[in-house]
Amino acid sequence: GALLMLSGQVAVDDAGEVFAPGDITAQSERVFELIGQILAAHGATFADVLHVRTFLTNLDDLPGYAAVRRRVFAGAPPASTTVEVSRLFLPGALLEVEITAAVPRR
């Protein structure tokens, strides 16, 4: 197979605007929804994810993000790194998520 390296995904709506400003749970759900779509477009699923790197603008939001992440990765979770950053490129975005996945051979 091949490696899929997904650069940072933030929670945006279909118009490219920040989704659910101020709501870490809603933004986390949206980020993983978008990542799921990208994985599917490449023939992969969340079960194929090897590593998740998360940037949070406030580590106090970690419980809300972690709850969503646990639902997404119901089985054994992938390796992960989570760090706090002072801000992200899109004002209002509370998190940015990068993934590395192993795309199965077709």
Side-chain angles (χ1 to χ4, degrees):
L3 284 181
L4 174 63
M5 310 285 283
L6 177 61
S7 62
Q9 178 65 58
V10 296
V12 292
D13 60 21
D14 293 338
E17 300 296 321
V18 172
F19 182 84
D23 186 336
I24 189 62
T25 301
Q27 283 197 19
S28 299
E29 290 169 349
R30 179 65 176 164
V31 164
F32 283 113
E33 174 187 344
L34 294 169
I35 290 172
Q37 292 171 4
I38 294 167
L39 288 168
H42 291 278
T45 70
F46 285 109
D48 300 309
V49 173
L50 304 172
H51 187 264
V52 178
R53 184 175 296 111
T54 306
F55 305 93
L56 293 172
T57 58
N58 185 343
L59 276 178
D60 291 341
D61 288 337
L62 186 59
Y65 165 71
V68 173
R69 203 186 107 136
R70 277 192 301 276
R71 285 195 305 270
V72 170
F73 297 105
S80 67
T81 303
T82 302
V83 297
E84 182 178 76
V85 295
S86 61
R87 65 181 178 172
L88 297 168
F89 76 95
L90 187 61
L94 302 176
L95 75 155
E96 182 172 334
V97 178
E98 299 177 349
I99 61 108
T100 301
V103 178
R105 290 181 190 212
R106 298 177 195 204

